[in-house]
């Protein structure tokens, strides 16, 4: 339930707060006072797309904060899935800040969040029904959606849709296999050429880098051999004594001395002589190996060129070339055995069609059974809403198979005695559409676990006795949930438990909108204004008081 709403710098609203109660809440005010802005703010804080043009002129940012109580298990589970700690009291605080530079930021219970998460959570918090919803009644494609909501067909639709996707996947694969013989032959030739080209190259993972190293060694072979030879001569000597001989002479001289301090020197010189001797041997071995190694630079570079050309065609590494080879072999195998695979797919297609038809039949049965109860419930509510001769029917015909089933659903209505049933889009007036929508939403409310319903001027085109009936129907819906209604009708305003007045004032060449919770006396004044359309009179004041007293 929405307990509290704070709006800051949204259009003409500089800073205002709304405190809402359970049951029936109404928002009234003159045209242009800002009632629609309040609904826009609620949509915004629940993750709807909004424009920075909504930010109050001259302000750098805007903010909306909404506080909910009794968020429920579904919301808490979503919070946990997204790393947000639920409140111990089951309360929920959502904040949105919109900056003039177009950036937006969300917080849930003080923790940063995203629009996608907020929007997902919002689905469990509030349902908003506005005048545009009435237009959905004029679109037969939307009628099946209403029926499925009432029938609670979500699981059936999910099963049907999975099979529908599988069927289309099988059809696509079959179509690919049905290429003409000439195209298949061209594909086989290409794959065979590519497979043979890669196999002949005998590519090995890591080979390219090793060849690059060999190429580098080959180019520097002469200078490397010269350096190794000179290093060896420096150690073992040539015509002159080398380092090994000189170190040996030094060791002999020190060994002859009879000082205790020379023992350490003798040991260290011995280790140096031993290490230098080992090093000279390793230098000689490396020199001999390099001198005898066959560095065929032309062969190395030809191999590098071959691998480079294959990389350009099939992938930028040896492993990718090998992966391409594996994929090509699978494709070739698939084409060669396409007739066998086609036969398998044909059987899978028939099986999938049978399952889809079975799921579609279950959906149809559910919709037909639900339609009977739905028609009766809608007619009962419409009769109460001052449409005593109404007939309402859900027309279900067999249609083509789509992602939603195989039924063409359309609502038919006869609003007056003696008239035949016709499509809703062709016979209903604006006031009748509003009442039909209210009736459908009333039936849906029993199936909906969302605690807050918002009706944004759904009473358009309604007046007189019908307005009284609509008001009491909204009040009835509000018995088990929170209802917030933006209205221009005195009858609806009088039925509310909590009445909020939205007023627009001008001060210092700036426009300001305020929201005030009305006392009993102030409610009489506002209802009197709504009734008269101008300044209140004693007559409208008394009528407003009578209407309010009768409605409470």
């Amino acid at each position: 339930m929405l307990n509290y709403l704070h709006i800051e710098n949204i259009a003409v609203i500089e800073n205002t707060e709304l405190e809402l109660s359970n049951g029936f809440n109404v928002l009234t005010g003159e045209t242009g006072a800002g009632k629609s802005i309040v609904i826009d703010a609620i949509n915004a804080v629940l993750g709807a797309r909004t424009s920075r043009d909504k930010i109050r002129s001259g302000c750098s940012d805007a903010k909306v904060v909404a506080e909910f109580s009794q968020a429920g298990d579904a919301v808490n589970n979503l919070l946990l899935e997204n790393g947000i700690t639920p409140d111990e009291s089951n309360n929920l605080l959502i904040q949105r800040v919109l900056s003039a530079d177009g950036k937006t930021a969300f917080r849930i219970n003080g923790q940063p969040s995203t629009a996608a998460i907020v929007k997902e959570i919002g689905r469990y918090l509030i349902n908003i029904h506005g005048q545009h919803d009435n237009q959905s009644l004029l679109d037969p494609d939307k009628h099946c959606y209403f029926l499925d909501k009432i029938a609670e067909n979500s699981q059936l639709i999910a099963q049907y849709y999975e099979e529908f996707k599988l069927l289309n996947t099988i059809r696509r694969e079959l179509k690919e296999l049905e290429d003409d013989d000439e195209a298949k032959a061209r594909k086989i030739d290409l794959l065979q050429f590519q497979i043979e080209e890669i196999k002949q190259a005998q590519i090995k993972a890591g080979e390219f880098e090793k060849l690059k190293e060999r190429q580098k060694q080959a180019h520097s072979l002469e200078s490397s051999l010269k350096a190794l030879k000179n290093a060896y001569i420096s150690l073992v000597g040539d015509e002159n004594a080398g380092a090994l001989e000189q170190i040996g002479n030094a060791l002999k001289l020190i060994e002859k001395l009879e000082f205790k301090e020379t023992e350490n020197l003798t040991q260290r010189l011995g280790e140096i002589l031993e290490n230098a001797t080992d090093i000279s041997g390793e230098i000689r071995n490396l020199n001999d190996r390099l001198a005898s190694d066959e560095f065929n630079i032309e062969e190395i570079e030809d191999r590098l060129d071959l691998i480079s050309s294959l990389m350009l065609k099939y992938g930028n590494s040896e492993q990718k070339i090998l992966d391409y080879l594996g994929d090509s072999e699978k494709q070739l195998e698939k084409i060669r055995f396409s007739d066998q695979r086609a036969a398998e797919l044909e059987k899978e297609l028939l099986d999938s069609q049978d399952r889809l038809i079975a799921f579609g039949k279950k959906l149809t049965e559910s919709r037909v059974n639900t339609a009977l109860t739905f028609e009766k419930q809608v007619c009962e509510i419409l009769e109460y809403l001052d449409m005593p001769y109404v007939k309402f029917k859900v027309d279900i015909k067999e249609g083509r198979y789509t992602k939603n089933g195989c039924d063409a659903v359309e609502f038919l209505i006869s609003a007056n005695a003696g008239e035949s049933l016709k499509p809703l889009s062709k016979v209903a007036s604006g006031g009748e559409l509003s009442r039909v929508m209210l009736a459908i939403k009333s039936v849906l409310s029993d199936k909906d676990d969302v605690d807050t319903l918002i009706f944004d001027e759904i009473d358009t085109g309604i007046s007189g006795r019908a307005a009284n009936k609509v008001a009491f129907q909204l009040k009835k819906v509000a018995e088990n949930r929170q209802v917030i209604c933006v209205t221009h009708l005195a009858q609806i305003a009088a039925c509310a438990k909590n009445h909020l007045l939205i007023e627009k004032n001008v001060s210092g060449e700036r426009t300001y909108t305020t929201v005030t919770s009305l006392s009993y006396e102030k409610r009489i004044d506002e209802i009197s204004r709504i009734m008269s359309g101008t300044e209140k009179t004693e007559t409208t004041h008394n009528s407003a008081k009578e209407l309010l007293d009768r409605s409470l």
Side-chain angles (χ1 to χ4, degrees):
M1 183 179 80
L2 179 61
N3 295 330
Y4 167 84
L5 186 70
H6 172 82
I7 306 172
E8 196 174 308
N9 297 332
I10 298 284
V12 294
I13 298 178
E14 181 184 45
N15 194 316
T16 196
E17 296 176 351
L18 288 77
E19 292 189 7
L20 299 146
S21 67
N22 60 350
F24 193 14
N25 301 260
V26 295
L27 279 65
T28 66
E30 293 184 357
T31 301
K35 299 185 295 299
S36 62
I37 298 170
V38 172
I39 303 303
D40 288 344
I42 294 173
N43 272 311
V45 82
L46 294 179
R49 294 175 70 91
T50 189
S51 169
R52 58 186 175 184
D53 294 337
K54 296 283 186 184
I55 299 175
R56 184 173 171 82
S57 178
C59 298
S60 60
D61 56 35
K63 181 166 71 174
V64 184
V65 180
E67 179 188 271
F68 298 86
S69 63
Q70 302 168 352
D73 292 340
V75 170
N76 287 337
N77 289 337
L78 273 173
L79 293 176
L80 290 171
E81 286 173 14
N82 290 283
I84 300 171
T85 305
D87 181 81
E88 292 181 359
S89 303
N90 220 18
N91 294 327
L92 185 69
L93 191 72
I94 303 177
Q95 174 183 299
R96 181 175 188 176
V97 176
L98 180 67
S99 300
D101 60 6
K103 295 179 181 178
T104 192
F106 288 92
R107 285 186 175 272
I108 301 177
N109 288 348
Q111 300 177 58
S113 187
T114 65
I117 294 171
V118 171
K119 192 178 293 185
E120 181 70 14
I121 290 171
R123 291 174 51 241
Y124 295 93
L125 298 173
I126 292 179
N127 275 342
I128 300 178
H129 312 298
Q131 294 180 62
H132 67 279
D133 286 337
N134 291 348
Q135 298 306 309
S136 65
L137 283 177
L138 303 178
D139 182 1
D141 290 340
K142 301 290 193 304
H143 296 175
C144 193
Y145 165 79
F146 287 116
L147 190 60
D148 284 330
K149 286 283 285 185
I150 293 160
E152 298 179 333
N153 279 339
S154 58
Q155 186 174 353
L156 261 179
I157 291 172
Q159 291 175 324
Y160 171 91
Y161 183 54
E162 285 302 312
E163 196 62 49
F164 181 78
K165 288 192 294 183
L166 175 62
L167 183 70
N168 283 320
T169 300
I170 295 170
R171 279 176 174 162
R172 280 194 298 272
E173 189 174 349
L174 262 173
K175 189 175 184 307
E176 289 173 3
L177 292 177
E178 289 170 357
D179 287 343
D180 59 77
D181 292 339
E182 186 178 340
K184 282 184 183 177
R186 286 197 300 270
K187 184 71 172 175
I188 289 172
D189 285 346
L190 176 62
L191 288 170
Q192 285 177 332
F193 171 79
Q194 291 173 333
I195 290 168
E196 187 62 25
E197 183 177 39
I198 296 172
K199 280 187 171 181
Q200 281 186 353
Q202 297 182 338
I203 299 292
K204 297 179 182 64
E207 180 184 4
F208 192 77
E209 286 304 316
K210 289 179 180 177
L211 285 169
K212 293 288 285 184
E213 184 62 30
R214 293 274 290 170
Q215 182 189 41
K216 185 179 176 182
Q217 289 177 353
H219 281 300
S220 62
L221 179 61
E222 185 177 346
S223 59
S224 297
L225 289 173
K226 184 176 180 181
L228 287 171
K229 181 180 178 182
N230 290 334
Y232 182 77
I233 291 172
S234 297
L235 286 171
V236 301
D238 190 3
E239 295 178 358
N240 301 314
L244 292 177
E245 184 178 345
Q246 292 183 14
I247 293 170
N249 291 336
L251 177 60
K252 291 175 183 176
L253 291 172
I254 296 297
E255 282 177 334
K256 292 178 180 178
L257 299 176
E258 296 181 355
F259 296 103
K260 188 173 183 181
E261 291 88 337
T262 61
E263 292 178 4
N264 180 259
L265 295 174
T266 301
Q267 181 182 349
R268 287 163 62 191
L269 276 170
E271 290 172 355
I272 291 171
L273 181 60
E274 184 178 350
N275 288 333
T277 303
D278 290 341
I279 290 169
S280 67
E282 290 179 21
I283 290 173
R284 183 185 65 248
N285 292 337
L286 179 58
N287 182 79
D288 293 344
R289 182 174 66 79
L290 290 178
S292 63
D293 204 348
E294 294 183 2
F295 281 96
N296 189 328
I297 187 64
E298 185 177 343
E299 183 180 307
I300 292 171
E301 291 183 344
D302 285 347
R303 182 67 177 167
L304 281 170
D305 289 343
L306 173 62
I307 297 175
S308 295
S309 68
L310 293 177
M311 284 181 175
L312 287 172
K313 291 181 181 180
Y314 308 118
N316 58 5
S317 71
E318 297 101 317
Q319 189 56 54
K320 287 186 178 179
I321 295 172
L322 294 172
D323 290 342
Y324 191 95
L325 172 64
D327 291 340
S328 297
E329 288 175 330
K330 288 177 184 177
Q331 286 184 52
L332 185 60
E333 191 77 5
K334 186 177 178 181
I335 293 173
R336 283 173 172 168
F337 291 94
S338 60
D339 291 341
Q340 179 183 332
R341 178 58 181 157
E344 293 172 356
L345 287 172
E346 289 285 359
K347 184 179 183 308
E348 289 178 20
L349 183 65
L350 292 173
D351 291 343
S352 181
Q353 285 174 340
D354 288 342
R355 290 192 298 269
L356 189 72
I357 291 169
F359 284 133
K361 186 177 179 181
K362 285 182 181 179
L363 262 178
T364 301
E365 288 173 355
S366 173
R367 287 163 179 167
V368 169
N369 292 334
T370 300
L372 297 173
T373 306
F374 178 47
E375 291 165 356
K376 183 173 181 292
Q377 290 174 321
V378 170
C379 282
E380 287 174 353
I381 295 172
L382 288 176
E383 286 171 15
Y384 172 75
L385 296 177
D386 210 33
M387 295 177 70
Y389 303 108
V390 71
K391 293 177 185 176
F392 179 81
K393 180 174 177 58
V394 180
D395 184 36
I396 303 175
K397 294 178 181 176
E398 184 177 350
R400 64 186 184 88
Y401 281 82
T402 68
K403 64 179 182 180
N404 295 317
C406 56
D407 302 312
V409 178
E410 185 170 16
F411 295 161
L412 306 179
I413 193 170
S414 169
N416 301 298
E419 292 183 1
S420 60
L421 286 161
K422 294 179 181 177
L424 189 63
S425 59
K426 295 184 178 179
V427 296
S429 66
E432 288 168 341
L433 280 176
S434 292
R435 280 178 279 176
V436 173
M437 177 56 76
L438 178 57
I440 291 172
K441 296 296 186 181
S442 297
V443 177
L444 273 171
S445 68
D446 294 332
K447 302 286 185 181
D448 204 339
D449 56 0
V450 176
D451 287 334
T452 299
L453 302 178
I454 297 179
F455 292 94
D456 183 14
E457 298 187 13
I458 199 172
D459 49 33
T460 300
I462 298 171
S463 61
R465 188 171 62 177
N468 286 323
K469 298 295 187 69
V470 168
F472 282 105
Q473 182 63 31
L474 285 167
K475 187 176 181 181
K476 183 179 179 182
V477 173
E479 289 175 359
N480 300 315
R481 66 193 65 240
Q482 183 186 49
V483 171
I484 302 168
C485 185
V486 176
T487 185
H488 291 289
L489 291 180
Q491 294 94 324
I492 291 178
C495 279
K497 175 182 177 182
N498 181 31
H499 188 160
L500 299 171
L501 173 63
I502 301 178
E503 292 181 289
K504 182 170 66 174
N505 300 290
V506 177
S507 175
E509 298 184 353
R510 292 301 304 269
T511 303
Y512 298 89
T513 289
T514 58
V515 182
T516 308
S517 181
L518 299 182
S519 64
Y520 173 77
E521 289 297 333
K522 292 293 184 182
R523 288 188 69 179
I524 294 173
D525 291 341
E526 172 61 6
I527 292 169
S528 175
R529 181 198 65 77
I530 296 171
M531 294 173 73
S532 68
T534 56
E535 293 184 4
K536 68 177 182 177
T537 65
E538 185 178 348
T539 301
T540 57
H541 181 274
N542 292 335
S543 297
K545 183 178 186 305
E546 181 184 352
L547 178 61
L548 183 59
D549 290 342
R550 188 172 68 244
S551 302
L552 291 176

